[in-house]
Amino acid sequence: SQKIEQNSEALNIQEGKTATLTCNYTNYSPAYLQWYRQDPGRGPVFLLLIRENEKEKRKERLKVTFDTTLKQSLFHITASQPADSATYLCALGGSARQLTFGSGTQLTVLP
Amino acid sequence: ETGVTQTPRHLVMGMTNKKSLKCEQHLGHNAMYWYKQSAKKPLELMFVYNFKEQTENNSVPSRFSPECPNSSHLFLHLHTLQPEDSALYLCASSQESTGQGNQPQHFGDGTRLSIL
């Protein structure tokens, strides 16, 4: 069955450092991958989408990579700030409208 | 403001009650979704509607009954729920075309449901 693993439930880093979150998947050949941010008591908010034929996507301080050989996506936040503290979700999708979500990584940026 | 509004934000109900969750999207999207989010577990897709037609039902128990009267509104009717149904129920919408489900989904802030 399809399986998505996001590295460690929780990740703490110092302000100003680069946060790197990992999303690994098995038994899946996604056409695209999305990353979302979720704050406590709120719904997920879309951040970035990367397609299977794209290696890297950037948006301001965010960077996503997608390696279909390794079956892995990396999500980077450079110059991290306490306001970046949240749970980050990766989601995989194919030709159907269904997204399969990982359980998320809770990031805490320490001042 | 996400453009997707869910009511109520919190709901406590007994196992024999009947209640409904409401979702409204103001984004002009043509697809709407219900998800269940339990603590420490991934979001679970429950139902998908596209142009008001249900296209997915991921083996959801019949005590959950969706309704989509138009492309802007989505309901989830609840009856005789179980304690394990306590969770955050999220609604989302997206603009889909040509059968390619690669568009971002816009989520509401959910209804926190507690079953006594």
Side-chain angles (χ1 to χ4, degrees):
Chain A
S1 62
Q2 299 167 359
K3 189 174 181 182
I4 300 173
E5 288 186 353
Q6 293 192 240
N7 67 317
S8 64
E9 284 188 17
L11 179 65
N12 295 335
I13 65 165
Q14 209 64 41
E15 182 177 5
K17 301 292 186 184
T18 296
T20 299
L21 283 65
T22 305
C23 178
N24 294 298
Y25 58 92
T26 56
N27 299 323
Y28 204 131
S29 295
Y32 59 95
L33 190 148
Q34 300 182 13
W35 283 89
Y36 289 79
R37 167 184 173 144
Q38 186 172 23
D39 292 284
R42 308 297 300 274
V45 175
F46 170 77
L47 296 174
L48 282 167
L49 179 152
I50 186 166
R51 293 184 172 81
E52 60 179 337
N53 60 350
E54 298 174 316
K55 295 293 185 185
E56 183 179 298
K57 263 294 185 57
R58 291 176 185 262
K59 178 183 177 183
E60 298 172 352
R61 294 185 294 112
L62 309 180
K63 185 178 83 171
V64 173
T65 62
F66 193 8
D67 190 325
T68 55
T69 301
L70 292 179
K71 295 186 181 295
Q72 180 182 78
S73 174
L74 299 179
F75 177 80
H76 305 273
I77 306 175
T78 58
S80 59
Q81 306 164 0
D84 295 324
S85 299
T87 297
Y88 291 85
L89 310 173
C90 72
L92 278 61
S95 57
R97 292 178 190 84
Q98 291 197 35
L99 283 177
T100 303
F101 282 84
S103 53
T105 296
Q106 185 175 343
L107 173 68
T108 301
V109 180
L110 304 168
Chain B
E1 179 58 50
T2 67
V4 179
T5 303
Q6 289 189 244
T7 54
R9 289 298 311 277
H10 302 273
L11 179 62
V12 179
M13 57 187 286
M15 289 192 285
T16 58
N17 292 157
K18 290 185 179 181
K19 296 286 186 183
S20 296
L21 310 185
K22 179 182 176 182
C23 176
E24 182 175 1
Q25 58 100 357
H26 313 276
L27 301 168
H29 290 165
N30 58 13
M32 296 187 76
Y33 313 78
W34 279 117
Y35 288 88
K36 175 183 180 181
Q37 187 175 36
S38 304
K40 306 297 185 185
K41 294 177 69 175
L43 270 73
E44 300 172 45
L45 179 65
M46 301 175 71
F47 301 103
V48 180
Y49 278 82
N50 188 257
F51 290 107
K52 303 187 301 177
E53 299 297 323
Q54 183 175 294
T55 57
E56 299 289 343
N57 175 342
N58 281 3
S59 304
V60 180
S62 59
R63 57 186 184 268
F64 295 92
S65 175
E67 178 189 0
C68 188
N70 55 61
S71 57
S72 298
H73 293 86
L74 186 64
F75 295 89
L76 188 63
H77 303 299
L78 316 171
H79 64 98
T80 59
L81 296 192
Q82 305 299 310
E84 61 265 28
D85 296 323
S86 298
L88 181 67
Y89 288 84
L90 290 161
C91 172
S93 70
S94 66
Q95 182 63 27
E96 302 299 333
S97 61
T98 64
Q100 295 300 313
N102 59 355
Q103 299 305 309
Q105 293 187 10
H106 296 252
F107 286 82
D109 287 332
T111 295
R112 174 68 62 185
L113 178 64
S114 299
I115 307 300
L116 301 179

